[in-house]
Amino acid sequence: MKNITQTLIFFLLLILIWAGITGDLSFMGLHCTLWSPYVLPSPSLVAQYLWDNTVNGKLPLSMLITLRRLLIGYVIGLVIGVPLGMLAARFRMVRNTVGVLGLGFQGLPSVCWVPLACIWFGQTEAALLFVVIMGTLWSVLLSTENGIRNVPPIYARAARTMGSSPMHTLLFVTLPASAPFVVSGMKQGWAFAWRSLMAAEIYVSVISGFGIGQYLHYGRELQRMHQVVGVMFIIILVGLLADKLLFSPAEVWLHRRWGTARD
Amino acid sequence: MTDSATHPELHDFPTARLSVEHVTKTFTTQGGTVVALQDVSISIREGEFVCFVGPSGCGKSTLLNIIAGLEKPDSGKALINGSPITEPGRDRLVMFQEHALFPWLDVIGNVMFGLKQKPNLNNRERLEVAKYYLYLVKMDNFAHANIHELSGGMKQRVALARSLAPNPKILLMDEPFSALDAMTREQLYGDIQDIWQKRKKTIIFVTHNVREAVCLGDRVLLFTPHPGRIREEFKVPLPRPRNINDHDLADLSQRITAALKGYHQAGECD
Ligand SMILES: Nc1ncnc2c1ncn2[C@@H]1O[C@H](COP(=O)(O)OP(=O)(O)OP(=O)(O)O)[C@@H](O)[C@H]1O
Ligand SMILES: [Mg+2]
């Protein structure tokens, strides 16, 4: 309870200051407007924008489009990344080839894929997905490999003496044993996927659907800064919600089971 | 859950005789070649409790791993009931020095792990069997505890239940109590003898502690290193259950310790 109160008070203060310097608050009939709304829109303008466009359904629709892209790309990234990571941990050959490739590509911000993606796939959903997958795949691959290589070999030995086949050992011993690493890799992969998708949507306009990032882009083009700030809010919100709803429960469970410290 | 658990699985007492014939095993590392075992032969009766003692590096764990099927000898062979051991199997379970319990499972989940590999049991029966063994090691009140919440001694109790649950013929214990304090160990000496008598297993127990070996074993085999060999064998004709503090143990313990020192001073150990 105390945590939530602290957080709430902090954010209320921030909004008050923001409202104070953008002319939303009046003090004895005086407004303080340090910046014009083109530079920094006031909270009321932003709130008005968010409200109107939620009610008329535009924002929810674009949210849906964006989240769909994010989820599909992320899941494909996981489905390729986790098994590749397992192979890289198991076979030196894979580690020396795909593993090194992953290390290289992980250091490449995924926006850098946008120009190529546009040429390969045109202004299509596929181009966006490709960028998201490139953002997810490598970090998931590397953390899975790292996780599996950190599993104490004694677990697999114990399992084998209990009659567990090599495949069973991989799926039911090595993989769960590496879960703390894999989950943190999945979380990092999610963060990368989200960033890459926003970058891609800002650069690439796709006729098949108008995503959140594209609203940000047009807000800038049309100098509608309240739109830009409103969309930024939404992007932050999605990030926070994903963390709280998807990853926090998994992490809490892991910490409780493994007994690793967390306050 | 009580002693009168009914499942037929619990009234089956498989044991096995074990023989090791002329086993040699060397390890080659950057530092050179180590002869971990040289021409080692032993034969162990059904239901016998045998202890391996000897200084560090004399091949005790290596021999245990060969019997477990986790390691292959360079020459010679290990046989269970006359048939050669080629790979790990449920009939020979190992209890390691480190507990090796799986932290992603709770206590009962760990005990169930080996049982799940066993065909011919449904899940309800597996649960019944798992609960029985937790009761046997006095951990039935902790079935749903997480592993990290247990003390070292409790972890080894759970590890013991996990090794017993699939009802192996042979239990291989590699210094299972060496990380525990004296009080906890004393309790476990009693419990392990009790369980051995109830479940009639063939047990091989590795230890550094001569008194522990005399307390538990029907027979104590003394190993010496470089190359790893079995040098002497001591029968322990004392009545059971034995207590580690019994005076009866002192005499034999002293003789074994003296033998160990003798080999040591002869420069055969380092
Ligand atoms: N995997 C391995 N690779 C290289 N050398 C090994 C390996 N396993 C064992 N050895 C060597 O073989 C010898 C016997 O080892 P082993 O572990 O069987 O000894 P031990 O009697 O169990 O010793 P301790 O009482 O310290 O556990 C040692 O010299 C050890 O260094
Ligand atoms: Mg050893």
Side-chain angles (χ1 to χ4, degrees), chain B residues 190-261:
Chain B
D191 293 344
I192 190 84
Q193 291 182 78
D194 188 39
I195 289 168
W196 173 68
Q197 259 161 7
K198 278 195 183 121
R199 303 300 315 169
K200 306 184 172 60
K201 307 259 166 251
T202 307
I203 297 184
I204 300 182
F205 189 102
V206 174
T207 173
H208 277 126
N209 184 328
V210 171
R211 204 168 173 117
E212 181 173 289
V214 173
C215 174
L216 296 176
D218 293 326
R219 227 176 350 141
V220 177
L221 303 183
L222 180 59
F223 283 63
T224 59
H226 311 297
R229 271 184 292 180
I230 297 176
R231 288 306 284 265
E232 251 184 279
E233 176 187 318
F234 300 85
K235 292 215 161 54
V236 189
L238 302 172
R240 289 183 188 269
R242 302 176 194 148
N243 184 305
I244 190 87
N245 300 315
D246 280 351
H247 285 300
D248 310 359
L249 304 185
D251 181 43
L252 189 55
S253 306
Q254 262 164 22
R255 267 175 45 219
I256 298 177
T257 310
L260 248 171
K261 282 199 181 128

Side-chain angles (χ1 to χ4, degrees), chain A residues 4 44 62 74 100 105 125 138 146 181 191 201 239 257:
Chain A
I4 297 178
S44 64
S62 69
Y74 180 64
V100 177
F105 280 164
E125 290 287 320
W138 309 112
N146 184 35
F181 288 87
E201 282 191 347
R257 257 290 200 263

